[in-house]
Amino acid sequence: MKKLFLFCLAVAATMTLRAADDLSLPDPLLTRAGEKVTTIDQWQKGRRQEILELFRENIYGRAPIGRPDTLRFDVKEVDTHAMNGKATLKRVEIHFSGPGGKGMISLSVFIPNKAKKPVPGFLLICNQDRDNIDPTRIKKSPYWPAERIVERGYVAATFLNADLDPDQHDGFKNGVHGIFDPQNSKRSPEAWGTIAAWAWGASRVMDYLETDKDIDKIRLGVVGHSRGGKTTLWCGAEDERFALVISNNSGSTGAALARNKKGEQIKRINTSFPHWFCENYKKFNEKENDLPVDQHELLSLMAPRLVYVASATQDEWADPKNEFLSCVHAEPVYRLFGLRGVEATQMPNPEQPLHTGHIGHHIRIGKHDLTEYDWDRFMDFADIHWKQGQQSPKSDTLPTTPQK
Ligand code: GCU
């Protein structure tokens, strides 16, 4: 049985490499100097840093600061009877300041009262309007089904991306760019864009979450849809404290491979949203093959943590096929860790989730959106990997523990 499994892995590896060659994808396990990466140590200390730097320099840009010394948490409200007594709501203000002024993130957290503490959970980076994340729960939205998340035994936390940076091209004057960018000097072509600013915000929220004793800081997922999904991937690459990184319908410069991409391509995204990425990214307009990285390598930066890519059948702009191929081509890095990746080389059927490996995937039937179906699949995946046994994989699926 074990031999058969190893044989299948070898065949799958060959197929993956062949497909990678066809697309001329950069090999995550080959350094720029042409050295093959064969050990975890070479990956962690060398190649991972190299890939991360390439993404900073060419795509998302470089944040000028990590955790500011001025960071301060102000717990404004603790309501132990939220959601009819099912949850405790905490409303926290996360304050910071820099040479250009002050900023604040408003965080809402629901912690299930009945769950054993500390409780694992999900942080949503909300890029829709405020009504979707109403902490009073007068307004409810499938985009953030907080009651459902709590019912399934998880923490539901969220903040608005606009707290960090409004989604407009204003020459990087407002938001955290205005607060932290070097004053009076010309902007570098590697300076952070708006996606990196939102990702930085999720890390500041993590700075708070890891201080809260009710929350399981080693089992926290970051979730985002579309531009929010591009943000979660960049956040998870930069901040290894997130144990699970979920990108929903993230498409161009999110989960989808740039090479051979259908729907939105680099030139289009840089034209419609000139503030999302660093200036250098514009060099790759209509030149996706010149990129020194591709998006499967962004996924590979999550290894050995969990990563999840969700697509929708009608979301051609995002390109579900290239979102899936990214998962396939990130897999060799997971295998270096002795872990399983997405465990498929062919596009799966709609609503047949792939959950047994460390790279999760599903394709929902329907349009570009974040729905309760998606959230339920994210929680199924977390159940399998975090709460072993509670909702274990079917007996005919393979275990998720590292292979010796
Ligand atoms: C636009 C954009 C996408 C993005 C989406 C969204 O469609 O072209 O790249 O993912 O907006 O954030 O909703």
Side-chain angles (χ1 to χ4, degrees), residues 52-168:
L52 190 58
E53 277 299 314
L54 290 170
F55 275 109
R56 287 184 184 134
E57 179 189 330
N58 296 294
I59 304 187
Y60 301 97
R62 223 174 270 286
I65 189 167
R67 178 187 172 131
D69 292 341
T70 56
L71 197 74
R72 179 170 66 77
F73 313 124
D74 189 356
V75 181
K76 297 303 271 187
E77 180 189 343
V78 178
D79 173 6
T80 55
H81 291 95
M83 295 180 175
N84 298 322
K86 291 195 177 123
T88 294
L89 165 65
K90 297 188 186 176
R91 294 177 72 170
V92 184
E93 288 181 357
I94 300 171
H95 293 269
F96 47 84
S97 59
K102 289 181 189 168
M104 195 259 282
I105 306 170
S106 247
L107 170 71
S108 303
V109 189
F110 287 97
I111 302 165
N113 283 337
K114 274 210 203 130
K116 189 169 158 279
K117 309 286 174 316
V119 193
F122 300 89
L123 170 66
L124 171 72
I125 302 175
C126 179
N127 56 286
Q128 309 274 355
D129 67 63
R130 214 173 275 282
D131 285 355
N132 288 282
I133 55 166
D134 178 13
T136 69
R137 306 313 289 153
I138 294 167
K139 294 182 191 122
K140 293 192 179 118
S141 154
Y143 190 82
W144 189 54
E147 283 72 12
R148 177 84 185 134
I149 299 170
V150 162
E151 190 185 302
R152 288 193 60 164
Y154 289 105
V155 167
T158 189
F159 69 98
L160 216 55
N161 62 349
D163 284 357
L164 281 305
D165 193 25
D167 195 357
Q168 298 143 11

Side-chain angles (χ1 to χ4, degrees), residues 17-35:
L17 289 179
R18 196 172 305 135
D21 289 347
D22 292 343
L23 288 170
S24 341
L25 287 180
D27 179 348
L29 294 178
L30 191 66
T31 69
R32 300 276 280 169
E35 280 153 28

Side-chain angles (χ1 to χ4, degrees), residues 127-128 167 225-228 230 249-252 264 268-269 272-273 276 317 368:
N127 56 286
Q128 309 274 355
D167 195 357
H225 167 63
S226 208
R227 64 199 74 185
K230 305 180 207 297
N249 304 184
S250 58
S252 171
E264 186 175 30
R268 179 64 190 264
I269 201 166
S272 315
F273 306 98
W276 279 1
W317 192 236
H368 184 77

